Amino acid sequence: MPVTTIEWVDDHIRMIDQTKLPGELIHLKIKEIDILAEAIKSLRVRGAPAIGIAGAFGIVLESQKFAGESKTSFFAMLEKTTTYLNATRPTAINLWWALNRMKTLGDNHKDKSINEIKALLKQEALNIWEDDRKICRSLAEHGAEIIHDGYNILTHCNTGALATADYGTALGVVFTAHAQGKKVHVYADETRPLLQGARLNTWELMHEGIDVTLICDNTAGVVMQKNQVDCAIVGADRIAANGDAANKIGTYSVAVLCKHHNIPFYIAAPYSTIDFNTKSGKEIPIEERSPDEVTNGFGRRTAPENTKVFSPAFDVTPHELIEGIITENGIIRPPYDINLKKYATS
Amino acid sequence: MPVTTIEWVDDHIRMIDQTKLPGELIHLKIKEIDILAEAIKSLRVRGAPAIGIAGAFGIVLESQKFAGESKTSFFAMLEKTTTYLNATRPTAINLWWALNRMKTLGDNHKDKSINEIKALLKQEALNIWEDDRKICRSLAEHGAEIIHDGYNILTHCNTGALATADYGTALGVVFTAHAQGKKVHVYADETRPLLQGARLNTWELMHEGIDVTLICDNTAGVVMQKNQVDCAIVGADRIAANGDAANKIGTYSVAVLCKHHNIPFYIAAPYSTIDFNTKSGKEIPIEERSPDEVTNGFGRRTAPENTKVFSPAFDVTPHELIEGIITENGIIRPPYDINLKKYATS
């Protein structure tokens, strides 16, 4: 059973504090919107789908607390909360998508009473959570088709249960292939600076009894050079209309290395990660993280004081390096500018 | 003035403990061969040329201590010490080269008295140290030709004064270009797992007043994608007769990324780094490091207990990815199987 990284319990959000893994498995009980915003910003909850769910639950938190009687005030509160939460992390489209889905739901029921709208919003957030569970399973089923017995799969960052409501995206594909009885082995990039691969992917894979070898990001090239990688599968935080995909920093390098070694490079992400309003990767805003995450990340300072650091949280892989985009609606192949739209469910 | 990372003082080796940088600048006073071996293994002294010097000084340490009168015992001690030190790190040819130079010197003076041989060995070690200083300067002069005003240079690992007797190899090129009045900016890969780029390259560059930006290894691709890198220059621990070059893990990925972005990728190393007895990179032994350097490197455990880790200390860049090899005898261009030999000094 995969861990449940985030869920709604009674009147609060219950989530694993991912910054404490793998050392400690601590659940946070979040009742305040500011605490939630901090948790998103500092990556206590992370992974594009999980952030979307966190955003939706945040709307529920604030709406449940609303004690006024003015519908205008209620909708102003919704608007404010949406803007506030959306600003926590700029790159992942899932956050905007989930918040927008909540907002639209509210807008569509403006004639209802505040209490009715509160109930509808809560139900919608639970639906987003439940939908993500189904999406993960369906995406993983499609993705498992590309995994053959004996495959060595390279992963970057964490894309498992911790990043979603259920099974994960790229890692869900691995879990499903494993459950199908295929022998698989994973090379997990540690994923600097915050080591989601080292801390989280290895933890999830070992938990499921899947053979995993941790490598530094700079070692991916060597294992490819030694013909020890059959494919790479990573997640995505936003996919542009032309197929360019933003994902955790370092993904682009993995894609280039795959290209050089003729190794297929796949993206696995919910269909909602595709942002048709973003024409190409150039338009995707890239969050820059604090230098401290690089120079002072794990208990000890590892660069001189005042060292200048460039630390983007994400990079953009151009569509021509992507073999396929694995979604819950199927595996989408190039040309993406034509095919991405074809996979929409009506 | 560059720092002096290693030198012979009176009856001992004085060296900077590089594992303590950039936090503390501590000098070790080494009088025991076992302490020296530990210092090499644990990278208190590192950088291929500096390791070679450390090895030569190690021979001096043991020979100075020799109190017997039997020449057979003296040469047996030399043989034993050479084998012992050579085993500390298998990849860098400089260690073997320096030890072999010491051994040959001894062998060539077997007719002399033990005291005379002791004096000759000490002088030879000082010559190796002094030669490396000259080599660094000459190599840097040649290398600076490829650096134009306004250049952005990508570096990997540390290749400066800390890695050599004087000015460094790849970083020496940067220092010289800077001294020539060229405006340069360096992107320093942090270089996991031991962060020689973050801890040492930034420290040396900032010390010299050169503009440097620290990046995670996985960010090199992005700065290249943004056209912010004009060339990459790295060191080497061993260069095969066909031009394949072993260097710090991650170098191969940098070379592939350079190829993809049409960025010239240079190696800078003393001519003695070329090992004509090694036909190609496939024959170069690659040291594997302890998993702990990856999983427990910064003062806090960052992967689950018992995580399997693949952590080679070096990788091999095939010659076809190398634009030129900068040596004290000039910049050697392909075809390396022919041209490497041409640059030998008679």
PDB file of all heavy atoms in Angstrom, chain A residues 190 192 202 211 213-214 217-218 225 252 261 298 304 308 310 316, chain B residues 190 192 202 211 214 217-218 225 252 261 298 300 304 308 310 316:
ATOM      1  N   GLU A 190      19.659  11.477  -7.159  1.00  0.00           N
ATOM      2  CA  GLU A 190      19.398  12.014  -5.821  1.00  0.00           C
ATOM      3  C   GLU A 190      18.625  13.335  -5.873  1.00  0.00           C
ATOM      4  O   GLU A 190      17.847  13.640  -4.994  1.00  0.00           O
ATOM      5  CB  GLU A 190      20.697  12.200  -5.034  1.00  0.00           C
ATOM      6  CG  GLU A 190      21.654  13.212  -5.629  1.00  0.00           C
ATOM      7  CD  GLU A 190      22.817  13.539  -4.673  1.00  0.00           C
ATOM      8  OE1 GLU A 190      22.887  12.974  -3.575  1.00  0.00           O
ATOM      9  OE2 GLU A 190      23.646  14.385  -5.060  1.00  0.00           O
ATOM     10  N   ARG A 192      19.575  17.072  -6.520  1.00  0.00           N
ATOM     11  CA  ARG A 192      19.973  18.272  -5.777  1.00  0.00           C
ATOM     12  C   ARG A 192      19.095  19.441  -6.194  1.00  0.00           C
ATOM     13  O   ARG A 192      18.557  19.443  -7.287  1.00  0.00           O
ATOM     14  CB  ARG A 192      21.450  18.569  -6.078  1.00  0.00           C
ATOM     15  CG  ARG A 192      22.400  17.653  -5.311  1.00  0.00           C
ATOM     16  CD  ARG A 192      22.514  18.033  -3.851  1.00  0.00           C
ATOM     17  NE  ARG A 192      23.330  19.230  -3.658  1.00  0.00           N
ATOM     18  CZ  ARG A 192      23.207  20.061  -2.612  1.00  0.00           C
ATOM     19  NH1 ARG A 192      22.310  19.833  -1.682  1.00  0.00           N
ATOM     20  NH2 ARG A 192      23.991  21.126  -2.512  1.00  0.00           N
ATOM     21  N   THR A 202      13.884   6.657  -3.115  1.00  0.00           N
ATOM     22  CA  THR A 202      14.463   5.410  -2.588  1.00  0.00           C
ATOM     23  C   THR A 202      13.564   4.863  -1.483  1.00  0.00           C
ATOM     24  O   THR A 202      13.316   3.664  -1.424  1.00  0.00           O
ATOM     25  CB  THR A 202      15.864   5.666  -1.986  1.00  0.00           C
ATOM     26  OG1 THR A 202      15.767   6.714  -1.031  1.00  0.00           O
ATOM     27  CG2 THR A 202      16.861   6.068  -3.068  1.00  0.00           C
ATOM     28  N   ASP A 211      13.940  -3.019  -6.414  1.00  0.00           N
ATOM     29  CA  ASP A 211      15.391  -2.844  -6.440  1.00  0.00           C
ATOM     30  C   ASP A 211      15.743  -1.426  -6.912  1.00  0.00           C
ATOM     31  O   ASP A 211      15.353  -1.016  -8.009  1.00  0.00           O
ATOM     32  CB  ASP A 211      15.983  -3.892  -7.398  1.00  0.00           C
ATOM     33  CG  ASP A 211      17.496  -3.967  -7.306  1.00  0.00           C
ATOM     34  OD1 ASP A 211      18.060  -3.499  -6.299  1.00  0.00           O
ATOM     35  OD2 ASP A 211      18.103  -4.519  -8.247  1.00  0.00           O
ATOM     36  N   THR A 213      18.909   1.696  -6.967  1.00  0.00           N
ATOM     37  CA  THR A 213      20.272   2.157  -6.723  1.00  0.00           C
ATOM     38  C   THR A 213      20.275   3.679  -6.783  1.00  0.00           C
ATOM     39  O   THR A 213      19.846   4.266  -7.776  1.00  0.00           O
ATOM     40  CB  THR A 213      21.245   1.604  -7.788  1.00  0.00           C
ATOM     41  OG1 THR A 213      21.169   0.179  -7.790  1.00  0.00           O
ATOM     42  CG2 THR A 213      22.676   2.043  -7.505  1.00  0.00           C
ATOM     43  N   LEU A 214      20.741   4.274  -5.717  1.00  0.00           N
ATOM     44  CA  LEU A 214      20.829   5.732  -5.651  1.00  0.00           C
ATOM     45  C   LEU A 214      22.110   6.208  -6.327  1.00  0.00           C
ATOM     46  O   LEU A 214      23.171   5.635  -6.117  1.00  0.00           O
ATOM     47  CB  LEU A 214      20.829   6.158  -4.173  1.00  0.00           C
ATOM     48  CG  LEU A 214      21.047   7.642  -3.863  1.00  0.00           C
ATOM     49  CD1 LEU A 214      19.906   8.483  -4.413  1.00  0.00           C
ATOM     50  CD2 LEU A 214      21.190   7.843  -2.350  1.00  0.00           C
ATOM     51  N   ASP A 217      23.240  13.016  -9.235  1.00  0.00           N
ATOM     52  CA  ASP A 217      22.715  13.448 -10.532  1.00  0.00           C
ATOM     53  C   ASP A 217      23.786  13.372 -11.618  1.00  0.00           C
ATOM     54  O   ASP A 217      23.496  13.048 -12.766  1.00  0.00           O
ATOM     55  CB  ASP A 217      22.209  14.892 -10.434  1.00  0.00           C
ATOM     56  CG  ASP A 217      21.093  15.039  -9.407  1.00  0.00           C
ATOM     57  OD1 ASP A 217      20.360  14.065  -9.183  1.00  0.00           O
ATOM     58  OD2 ASP A 217      20.979  16.126  -8.820  1.00  0.00           O
ATOM     59  N   ASN A 218      25.018  13.669 -11.232  1.00  0.00           N
ATOM     60  CA  ASN A 218      26.102  13.707 -12.221  1.00  0.00           C
ATOM     61  C   ASN A 218      26.579  12.319 -12.648  1.00  0.00           C
ATOM     62  O   ASN A 218      27.508  12.200 -13.443  1.00  0.00           O
ATOM     63  CB  ASN A 218      27.265  14.562 -11.709  1.00  0.00           C
ATOM     64  CG  ASN A 218      27.944  13.973 -10.488  1.00  0.00           C
ATOM     65  OD1 ASN A 218      27.837  12.777 -10.223  1.00  0.00           O
ATOM     66  ND2 ASN A 218      28.647  14.810  -9.745  1.00  0.00           N
ATOM     67  N   GLN A 225      26.126   5.465 -20.267  1.00  0.00           N
ATOM     68  CA  GLN A 225      27.310   5.114 -21.058  1.00  0.00           C
ATOM     69  C   GLN A 225      27.602   3.617 -20.952  1.00  0.00           C
ATOM     70  O   GLN A 225      28.036   2.986 -21.916  1.00  0.00           O
ATOM     71  CB  GLN A 225      28.507   5.920 -20.530  1.00  0.00           C
ATOM     72  CG  GLN A 225      29.782   5.827 -21.351  1.00  0.00           C
ATOM     73  CD  GLN A 225      30.954   6.536 -20.639  1.00  0.00           C
ATOM     74  OE1 GLN A 225      31.057   6.536 -19.412  1.00  0.00           O
ATOM     75  NE2 GLN A 225      31.821   7.164 -21.417  1.00  0.00           N
ATOM     76  N   TYR A 252      16.222  18.396 -17.706  1.00  0.00           N
ATOM     77  CA  TYR A 252      16.710  18.702 -19.048  1.00  0.00           C
ATOM     78  C   TYR A 252      18.025  17.977 -19.335  1.00  0.00           C
ATOM     79  O   TYR A 252      18.213  17.401 -20.420  1.00  0.00           O
ATOM     80  CB  TYR A 252      16.871  20.222 -19.219  1.00  0.00           C
ATOM     81  CG  TYR A 252      17.571  20.625 -20.495  1.00  0.00           C
ATOM     82  CD1 TYR A 252      16.997  20.353 -21.742  1.00  0.00           C
ATOM     83  CD2 TYR A 252      18.804  21.267 -20.463  1.00  0.00           C
ATOM     84  CE1 TYR A 252      17.644  20.711 -22.919  1.00  0.00           C
ATOM     85  CE2 TYR A 252      19.449  21.634 -21.628  1.00  0.00           C
ATOM     86  CZ  TYR A 252      18.867  21.351 -22.857  1.00  0.00           C
ATOM     87  OH  TYR A 252      19.509  21.703 -24.012  1.00  0.00           O
ATOM     88  N   HIS A 261      22.458   8.973 -25.856  1.00  0.00           N
ATOM     89  CA  HIS A 261      22.632   7.519 -25.732  1.00  0.00           C
ATOM     90  C   HIS A 261      21.496   6.726 -26.372  1.00  0.00           C
ATOM     91  O   HIS A 261      21.395   5.505 -26.168  1.00  0.00           O
ATOM     92  CB  HIS A 261      22.750   7.141 -24.253  1.00  0.00           C
ATOM     93  CG  HIS A 261      23.968   7.706 -23.578  1.00  0.00           C
ATOM     94  ND1 HIS A 261      23.966   8.914 -22.938  1.00  0.00           N
ATOM     95  CD2 HIS A 261      25.242   7.239 -23.475  1.00  0.00           C
ATOM     96  CE1 HIS A 261      25.170   9.162 -22.448  1.00  0.00           C
ATOM     97  NE2 HIS A 261      25.967   8.180 -22.770  1.00  0.00           N
ATOM     98  N   PHE A 298      22.093  20.686   4.432  1.00  0.00           N
ATOM     99  CA  PHE A 298      21.845  19.503   5.256  1.00  0.00           C
ATOM    100  C   PHE A 298      22.624  19.485   6.546  1.00  0.00           C
ATOM    101  O   PHE A 298      23.193  18.487   6.937  1.00  0.00           O
ATOM    102  CB  PHE A 298      22.080  18.244   4.435  1.00  0.00           C
ATOM    103  CG  PHE A 298      21.077  18.146   3.341  1.00  0.00           C
ATOM    104  CD1 PHE A 298      21.335  18.676   2.094  1.00  0.00           C
ATOM    105  CD2 PHE A 298      19.833  17.603   3.580  1.00  0.00           C
ATOM    106  CE1 PHE A 298      20.379  18.652   1.097  1.00  0.00           C
ATOM    107  CE2 PHE A 298      18.871  17.569   2.588  1.00  0.00           C
ATOM    108  CZ  PHE A 298      19.150  18.092   1.347  1.00  0.00           C
ATOM    109  N   PRO A 304      31.542  29.001   0.603  1.00  0.00           N
ATOM    110  CA  PRO A 304      31.900  30.203   1.365  1.00  0.00           C
ATOM    111  C   PRO A 304      30.694  31.128   1.554  1.00  0.00           C
ATOM    112  O   PRO A 304      29.750  31.104   0.762  1.00  0.00           O
ATOM    113  CB  PRO A 304      32.951  30.882   0.474  1.00  0.00           C
ATOM    114  CG  PRO A 304      33.499  29.800  -0.404  1.00  0.00           C
ATOM    115  CD  PRO A 304      32.358  28.854  -0.624  1.00  0.00           C
ATOM    116  N   LYS A 308      27.654  33.451  -4.674  1.00  0.00           N
ATOM    117  CA  LYS A 308      26.521  33.688  -5.580  1.00  0.00           C
ATOM    118  C   LYS A 308      26.044  32.332  -6.089  1.00  0.00           C
ATOM    119  O   LYS A 308      26.854  31.488  -6.479  1.00  0.00           O
ATOM    120  CB  LYS A 308      27.003  34.571  -6.735  1.00  0.00           C
ATOM    121  CG  LYS A 308      25.904  35.157  -7.570  1.00  0.00           C
ATOM    122  CD  LYS A 308      26.408  36.337  -8.402  1.00  0.00           C
ATOM    123  CE  LYS A 308      27.431  35.922  -9.440  1.00  0.00           C
ATOM    124  NZ  LYS A 308      27.805  37.016 -10.353  1.00  0.00           N
ATOM    125  N   PHE A 310      23.031  30.161  -8.493  1.00  0.00           N
ATOM    126  CA  PHE A 310      21.880  30.122  -9.408  1.00  0.00           C
ATOM    127  C   PHE A 310      21.164  28.810  -9.147  1.00  0.00           C
ATOM    128  O   PHE A 310      21.710  27.738  -9.394  1.00  0.00           O
ATOM    129  CB  PHE A 310      22.360  30.226 -10.859  1.00  0.00           C
ATOM    130  CG  PHE A 310      21.263  30.072 -11.874  1.00  0.00           C
ATOM    131  CD1 PHE A 310      20.137  30.889 -11.849  1.00  0.00           C
ATOM    132  CD2 PHE A 310      21.344  29.094 -12.869  1.00  0.00           C
ATOM    133  CE1 PHE A 310      19.114  30.741 -12.787  1.00  0.00           C
ATOM    134  CE2 PHE A 310      20.343  28.943 -13.817  1.00  0.00           C
ATOM    135  CZ  PHE A 310      19.228  29.770 -13.769  1.00  0.00           C
ATOM    136  N   VAL A 316      13.215  23.370 -18.334  1.00  0.00           N
ATOM    137  CA  VAL A 316      12.264  23.018 -19.391  1.00  0.00           C
ATOM    138  C   VAL A 316      12.941  22.096 -20.404  1.00  0.00           C
ATOM    139  O   VAL A 316      13.993  22.417 -20.953  1.00  0.00           O
ATOM    140  CB  VAL A 316      11.738  24.278 -20.107  1.00  0.00           C
ATOM    141  CG1 VAL A 316      10.874  23.892 -21.306  1.00  0.00           C
ATOM    142  CG2 VAL A 316      10.947  25.152 -19.138  1.00  0.00           C
TER     143      VAL A 316
ATOM    144  N   GLU B 190      28.861  22.255  -8.410  1.00  0.00           N
ATOM    145  CA  GLU B 190      29.190  21.979  -7.002  1.00  0.00           C
ATOM    146  C   GLU B 190      29.973  20.671  -6.843  1.00  0.00           C
ATOM    147  O   GLU B 190      30.799  20.542  -5.957  1.00  0.00           O
ATOM    148  CB  GLU B 190      27.931  21.959  -6.137  1.00  0.00           C
ATOM    149  CG  GLU B 190      26.958  20.847  -6.482  1.00  0.00           C
ATOM    150  CD  GLU B 190      25.854  20.721  -5.430  1.00  0.00           C
ATOM    151  OE1 GLU B 190      25.797  21.496  -4.467  1.00  0.00           O
ATOM    152  OE2 GLU B 190      25.014  19.808  -5.592  1.00  0.00           O
ATOM    153  N   ARG B 192      29.023  16.877  -6.727  1.00  0.00           N
ATOM    154  CA  ARG B 192      28.665  15.845  -5.764  1.00  0.00           C
ATOM    155  C   ARG B 192      29.520  14.612  -5.984  1.00  0.00           C
ATOM    156  O   ARG B 192      29.970  14.373  -7.087  1.00  0.00           O
ATOM    157  CB  ARG B 192      27.178  15.506  -5.930  1.00  0.00           C
ATOM    158  CG  ARG B 192      26.272  16.557  -5.307  1.00  0.00           C
ATOM    159  CD  ARG B 192      26.211  16.447  -3.794  1.00  0.00           C
ATOM    160  NE  ARG B 192      25.378  15.325  -3.372  1.00  0.00           N
ATOM    161  CZ  ARG B 192      25.567  14.661  -2.221  1.00  0.00           C
ATOM    162  NH1 ARG B 192      26.548  14.981  -1.402  1.00  0.00           N
ATOM    163  NH2 ARG B 192      24.768  13.668  -1.912  1.00  0.00           N
ATOM    164  N   THR B 202      34.816  27.709  -5.608  1.00  0.00           N
ATOM    165  CA  THR B 202      34.256  29.027  -5.290  1.00  0.00           C
ATOM    166  C   THR B 202      35.206  29.773  -4.353  1.00  0.00           C
ATOM    167  O   THR B 202      35.449  30.959  -4.530  1.00  0.00           O
ATOM    168  CB  THR B 202      32.897  28.899  -4.589  1.00  0.00           C
ATOM    169  OG1 THR B 202      33.046  28.049  -3.458  1.00  0.00           O
ATOM    170  CG2 THR B 202      31.843  28.320  -5.520  1.00  0.00           C
ATOM    171  N   ASP B 211      34.585  36.590 -10.659  1.00  0.00           N
ATOM    172  CA  ASP B 211      33.137  36.422 -10.573  1.00  0.00           C
ATOM    173  C   ASP B 211      32.763  34.947 -10.759  1.00  0.00           C
ATOM    174  O   ASP B 211      33.099  34.342 -11.776  1.00  0.00           O
ATOM    175  CB  ASP B 211      32.489  37.279 -11.673  1.00  0.00           C
ATOM    176  CG  ASP B 211      30.983  37.371 -11.528  1.00  0.00           C
ATOM    177  OD1 ASP B 211      30.469  37.086 -10.430  1.00  0.00           O
ATOM    178  OD2 ASP B 211      30.329  37.736 -12.528  1.00  0.00           O
ATOM    179  N   LEU B 214      27.842  29.606  -8.287  1.00  0.00           N
ATOM    180  CA  LEU B 214      27.762  28.184  -7.941  1.00  0.00           C
ATOM    181  C   LEU B 214      26.454  27.596  -8.455  1.00  0.00           C
ATOM    182  O   LEU B 214      25.394  28.202  -8.308  1.00  0.00           O
ATOM    183  CB  LEU B 214      27.835  28.043  -6.414  1.00  0.00           C
ATOM    184  CG  LEU B 214      27.633  26.647  -5.824  1.00  0.00           C
ATOM    185  CD1 LEU B 214      28.751  25.704  -6.258  1.00  0.00           C
ATOM    186  CD2 LEU B 214      27.563  26.735  -4.290  1.00  0.00           C
ATOM    187  N   ASP B 217      25.221  20.373  -9.974  1.00  0.00           N
ATOM    188  CA  ASP B 217      25.687  19.700 -11.196  1.00  0.00           C
ATOM    189  C   ASP B 217      24.563  19.581 -12.223  1.00  0.00           C
ATOM    190  O   ASP B 217      24.799  19.686 -13.424  1.00  0.00           O
ATOM    191  CB  ASP B 217      26.196  18.298 -10.856  1.00  0.00           C
ATOM    192  CG  ASP B 217      27.357  18.342  -9.864  1.00  0.00           C
ATOM    193  OD1 ASP B 217      28.103  19.341  -9.878  1.00  0.00           O
ATOM    194  OD2 ASP B 217      27.502  17.388  -9.091  1.00  0.00           O
ATOM    195  N   ASN B 218      23.346  19.367 -11.725  1.00  0.00           N
ATOM    196  CA  ASN B 218      22.218  19.150 -12.638  1.00  0.00           C
ATOM    197  C   ASN B 218      21.720  20.432 -13.297  1.00  0.00           C
ATOM    198  O   ASN B 218      20.752  20.398 -14.065  1.00  0.00           O
ATOM    199  CB  ASN B 218      21.078  18.414 -11.921  1.00  0.00           C
ATOM    200  CG  ASN B 218      20.463  19.220 -10.801  1.00  0.00           C
ATOM    201  OD1 ASN B 218      20.570  20.450 -10.767  1.00  0.00           O
ATOM    202  ND2 ASN B 218      19.796  18.544  -9.882  1.00  0.00           N
ATOM    203  N   GLN B 225      21.786  25.732 -22.069  1.00  0.00           N
ATOM    204  CA  GLN B 225      20.568  25.938 -22.864  1.00  0.00           C
ATOM    205  C   GLN B 225      20.277  27.430 -23.033  1.00  0.00           C
ATOM    206  O   GLN B 225      19.793  27.863 -24.078  1.00  0.00           O
ATOM    207  CB  GLN B 225      19.402  25.250 -22.130  1.00  0.00           C
ATOM    208  CG  GLN B 225      18.082  25.176 -22.891  1.00  0.00           C
ATOM    209  CD  GLN B 225      16.969  24.626 -22.002  1.00  0.00           C
ATOM    210  OE1 GLN B 225      16.928  24.856 -20.792  1.00  0.00           O
ATOM    211  NE2 GLN B 225      16.055  23.868 -22.601  1.00  0.00           N
ATOM    212  N   TYR B 252      31.858  13.469 -17.594  1.00  0.00           N
ATOM    213  CA  TYR B 252      31.312  12.919 -18.838  1.00  0.00           C
ATOM    214  C   TYR B 252      29.977  13.582 -19.194  1.00  0.00           C
ATOM    215  O   TYR B 252      29.748  13.948 -20.351  1.00  0.00           O
ATOM    216  CB  TYR B 252      31.140  11.401 -18.707  1.00  0.00           C
ATOM    217  CG  TYR B 252      30.400  10.763 -19.860  1.00  0.00           C
ATOM    218  CD1 TYR B 252      30.918  10.798 -21.147  1.00  0.00           C
ATOM    219  CD2 TYR B 252      29.173  10.148 -19.656  1.00  0.00           C
ATOM    220  CE1 TYR B 252      30.233  10.232 -22.211  1.00  0.00           C
ATOM    221  CE2 TYR B 252      28.479   9.572 -20.715  1.00  0.00           C
ATOM    222  CZ  TYR B 252      29.014   9.613 -21.986  1.00  0.00           C
ATOM    223  OH  TYR B 252      28.328   9.050 -23.035  1.00  0.00           O
ATOM    224  N   HIS B 261      25.222  21.232 -27.073  1.00  0.00           N
ATOM    225  CA  HIS B 261      25.046  22.682 -27.217  1.00  0.00           C
ATOM    226  C   HIS B 261      26.156  23.339 -28.040  1.00  0.00           C
ATOM    227  O   HIS B 261      26.260  24.569 -28.060  1.00  0.00           O
ATOM    228  CB  HIS B 261      24.986  23.338 -25.827  1.00  0.00           C
ATOM    229  CG  HIS B 261      23.806  22.903 -25.009  1.00  0.00           C
ATOM    230  ND1 HIS B 261      23.848  21.821 -24.164  1.00  0.00           N
ATOM    231  CD2 HIS B 261      22.537  23.385 -24.928  1.00  0.00           C
ATOM    232  CE1 HIS B 261      22.670  21.671 -23.582  1.00  0.00           C
ATOM    233  NE2 HIS B 261      21.854  22.595 -24.023  1.00  0.00           N
ATOM    234  N   PHE B 298      26.470  15.537   4.531  1.00  0.00           N
ATOM    235  CA  PHE B 298      26.440  16.940   4.969  1.00  0.00           C
ATOM    236  C   PHE B 298      26.151  17.093   6.456  1.00  0.00           C
ATOM    237  O   PHE B 298      25.738  18.140   6.894  1.00  0.00           O
ATOM    238  CB  PHE B 298      25.326  17.689   4.238  1.00  0.00           C
ATOM    239  CG  PHE B 298      25.429  17.665   2.753  1.00  0.00           C
ATOM    240  CD1 PHE B 298      24.689  16.781   1.998  1.00  0.00           C
ATOM    241  CD2 PHE B 298      26.260  18.560   2.105  1.00  0.00           C
ATOM    242  CE1 PHE B 298      24.767  16.777   0.626  1.00  0.00           C
ATOM    243  CE2 PHE B 298      26.332  18.561   0.734  1.00  0.00           C
ATOM    244  CZ  PHE B 298      25.594  17.676  -0.013  1.00  0.00           C
ATOM    245  N   ARG B 300      23.950  15.092   8.037  1.00  0.00           N
ATOM    246  CA  ARG B 300      22.649  14.515   8.336  1.00  0.00           C
ATOM    247  C   ARG B 300      22.364  13.447   7.291  1.00  0.00           C
ATOM    248  O   ARG B 300      22.712  13.616   6.122  1.00  0.00           O
ATOM    249  CB  ARG B 300      21.631  15.652   8.334  1.00  0.00           C
ATOM    250  CG  ARG B 300      20.278  15.279   7.889  1.00  0.00           C
ATOM    251  CD  ARG B 300      19.234  16.377   8.110  1.00  0.00           C
ATOM    252  NE  ARG B 300      18.025  15.825   7.530  1.00  0.00           N
ATOM    253  CZ  ARG B 300      17.106  16.507   6.873  1.00  0.00           C
ATOM    254  NH1 ARG B 300      17.213  17.803   6.761  1.00  0.00           N
ATOM    255  NH2 ARG B 300      16.079  15.907   6.361  1.00  0.00           N
ATOM    256  N   PRO B 304      17.431   6.538   3.053  1.00  0.00           N
ATOM    257  CA  PRO B 304      17.117   5.499   4.046  1.00  0.00           C
ATOM    258  C   PRO B 304      18.342   4.631   4.349  1.00  0.00           C
ATOM    259  O   PRO B 304      19.245   4.502   3.524  1.00  0.00           O
ATOM    260  CB  PRO B 304      16.025   4.670   3.353  1.00  0.00           C
ATOM    261  CG  PRO B 304      15.446   5.561   2.308  1.00  0.00           C
ATOM    262  CD  PRO B 304      16.568   6.451   1.866  1.00  0.00           C
ATOM    263  N   LYS B 308      21.116   1.162  -1.467  1.00  0.00           N
ATOM    264  CA  LYS B 308      22.206   0.757  -2.354  1.00  0.00           C
ATOM    265  C   LYS B 308      22.656   1.994  -3.137  1.00  0.00           C
ATOM    266  O   LYS B 308      21.813   2.744  -3.636  1.00  0.00           O
ATOM    267  CB  LYS B 308      21.682  -0.321  -3.309  1.00  0.00           C
ATOM    268  CG  LYS B 308      22.739  -1.062  -4.062  1.00  0.00           C
ATOM    269  CD  LYS B 308      22.203  -2.364  -4.630  1.00  0.00           C
ATOM    270  CE  LYS B 308      21.156  -2.156  -5.715  1.00  0.00           C
ATOM    271  NZ  LYS B 308      20.718  -3.410  -6.343  1.00  0.00           N
ATOM    272  N   PHE B 310      25.532   3.660  -6.036  1.00  0.00           N
ATOM    273  CA  PHE B 310      26.631   3.522  -6.997  1.00  0.00           C
ATOM    274  C   PHE B 310      27.358   4.866  -7.022  1.00  0.00           C
ATOM    275  O   PHE B 310      26.786   5.869  -7.443  1.00  0.00           O
ATOM    276  CB  PHE B 310      26.079   3.148  -8.378  1.00  0.00           C
ATOM    277  CG  PHE B 310      27.145   3.105  -9.456  1.00  0.00           C
ATOM    278  CD1 PHE B 310      28.272   2.308  -9.321  1.00  0.00           C
ATOM    279  CD2 PHE B 310      27.006   3.867 -10.617  1.00  0.00           C
ATOM    280  CE1 PHE B 310      29.249   2.271 -10.315  1.00  0.00           C
ATOM    281  CE2 PHE B 310      27.967   3.841 -11.618  1.00  0.00           C
ATOM    282  CZ  PHE B 310      29.097   3.035 -11.459  1.00  0.00           C
ATOM    283  N   VAL B 316      34.855   8.436 -17.437  1.00  0.00           N
ATOM    284  CA  VAL B 316      35.754   8.569 -18.580  1.00  0.00           C
ATOM    285  C   VAL B 316      35.028   9.295 -19.715  1.00  0.00           C
ATOM    286  O   VAL B 316      33.951   8.890 -20.132  1.00  0.00           O
ATOM    287  CB  VAL B 316      36.246   7.197 -19.075  1.00  0.00           C
ATOM    288  CG1 VAL B 316      37.056   7.345 -20.366  1.00  0.00           C
ATOM    289  CG2 VAL B 316      37.090   6.514 -17.999  1.00  0.00           C
TER     290      VAL B 316
END
